[in-house]
Amino acid sequence: MKSSEKSAVTSVVRSFVLAPTLAAVVTGGVALAVVGPGPAAQAAQAAQAAPARAAVTVTITAEGTDMSGVVSSTRPGLCAADRTVKVFKLVDGEPHLWASDTTSLQGTSWVWSTGNTGTEGRFFAKVGPRSGCRGDVSPTIRVRRNP
């Protein structure tokens, strides 16, 4: 293949990667055809087709060593209902899974509770992402037994 032919093929391949194209080059009896969007265009199309994930907020409060909170969202039926909330205890600055609960509807709020853990320390709650929903991490709180 001559260098001018290689240059033409390279040009076609580059246009395939950058944008949707239909291109054909015939050189020395060999035909090269490229049809459809390239990988970059496919990724851009997928990003545009996926709906934005809804915001989610998880809170944590303590009354003595009972911890509880609320999961709220702009799409509560999808993003707050039946969510698993994991509660982590910070031990020497490292998070350790301590408890978990699934949200349940109380009035108009999706709530969770650990019950009485009997444990003091620094804790935070986390809810992971799910399809169509973001995840969230609560602020860290200090839990102390009631006097």
Side-chain angles (χ1 to χ4, degrees):
M1 187 179 287
K2 297 179 187 175
S3 68
S4 63
E5 293 170 336
K6 286 181 184 177
S7 177
V9 170
T10 301
S11 175
V12 168
V13 171
R14 282 189 184 133
S15 67
F16 170 72
V17 170
L18 298 176
T21 61
L22 170 58
V25 174
V26 178
T27 57
V30 176
L32 171 64
V34 180
V35 180
Q42 288 173 340
Q45 288 171 352
Q48 289 174 350
R53 296 190 332 177
V56 173
T57 302
V58 62
T59 65
I60 185 171
T61 59
E63 188 172 315
T65 56
D66 292 354
M67 290 176 274
S68 61
V70 175
V71 175
S72 58
S73 174
T74 54
R75 297 169 70 187
L78 176 66
C79 299
D82 300 316
R83 295 300 297 270
T84 299
V85 177
K86 295 180 180 181
V87 178
F88 292 85
K89 180 179 183 181
L90 291 175
V91 178
D92 296 326
E94 295 293 320
H96 295 272
L97 181 60
W98 198 256
S100 67
D101 191 30
T102 303
T103 60
S104 59
L105 188 60
Q106 255 185 16
T108 59
S109 299
W110 291 95
V111 300
W112 62 270
S113 176
T114 63
N116 188 346
T117 64
T119 305
E120 295 183 320
R122 295 175 60 215
F123 293 87
F124 67 91
K126 179 178 180 177
V127 63
R130 72 159 50 154
S131 180
C133 309
R134 294 182 183 154
D136 191 40
V137 178
S138 74
T140 300
I141 63 168
R142 180 165 300 280
V143 175
R144 293 192 173 111
R145 286 185 190 90
N146 287 330

